[in-house]
Amino acid sequence: MREILFRGKRIDTGEWVEGYYALRTVLFGTIEEEIYPVIEQFNGPVCEVAPGTVGQYTGLTDKTGKKIFEGDLVCAGSYRIPLLIEFVRYSWGCTNKNLGRFYLHRLEDDSAKYEVVGNIHDSPELLEEGKW
């Protein structure tokens, strides 16, 4: 069974945190004012994270053992063309505007060939270099 895990970028420090995903609602009287996404870390604090940075763990690791999350950019072998990890039609997928899309389950047997090279939040320049 796949581990259910999320990560997000803390609003206060910009640091990436992993843990359980939850929503914290702030109520004033009976009126719901704001909803904040939070990550509850294992044996750690609850951290407010930027909503657009929350991504789920795919259940796969790259060739270095690094966990692959939604929003990560991976490269295969000696090819330096970034593939965006995203959830597509009930399954994890890899997308590149020039190569198209394929389902991530195809990587399971070949995950040793893939390497996380960044993500869309910290490394957007990888998508702007004409390789995307």
Side-chain angles (χ1 to χ4, degrees):
M1 178 187 272
R2 180 172 64 83
E3 178 182 12
I4 305 300
L5 179 67
F6 291 86
R7 82 167 174 202
K9 203 167 193 179
R10 290 180 62 144
I11 288 179
D12 57 352
T13 64
E15 173 188 359
W16 286 99
V17 291
E18 294 179 7
Y20 300 101
Y21 178 66
L23 294 175
R24 182 181 66 179
T25 305
V26 177
L27 298 174
F28 294 100
T30 59
I31 301 171
E32 186 177 293
E33 285 292 317
E34 298 183 61
I35 299 176
Y36 300 99
V38 295
I39 298 290
E40 183 176 344
Q41 299 179 69
F42 309 110
N43 301 320
V46 173
C47 305
E48 187 177 339
V49 294
T53 66
V54 174
Q56 189 173 6
Y57 175 48
T58 63
L60 299 173
T61 57
D62 72 357
K63 67 182 182 180
T64 66
K66 185 173 183 176
K67 293 176 182 171
I68 301 175
F69 283 86
E70 178 179 15
D72 277 343
L73 298 168
V74 299
C75 286
S78 61
Y79 299 102
R80 301 314 296 171
I81 300 170
L83 302 167
L84 174 63
I85 303 299
E86 56 187 354
F87 196 76
V88 183
R89 295 186 186 146
Y90 315 109
S91 184
W92 293 106
C94 290
T95 305
N96 178 283
K97 73 176 184 180
N98 296 321
L99 301 175
R101 177 180 294 142
F102 57 92
Y103 291 105
L104 196 58
H105 67 268
R106 292 183 178 177
L107 298 184
E108 290 182 37
D109 296 331
D110 295 331
S111 62
K113 296 179 184 177
Y114 292 86
E115 180 180 9
V116 175
V117 294
N119 63 63
I120 58 173
H121 310 289
D122 293 337
S123 312
E125 70 279 359
L126 293 174
L127 299 178
E128 297 170 3
E129 292 178 354
K131 298 177 180 179
W132 172 249

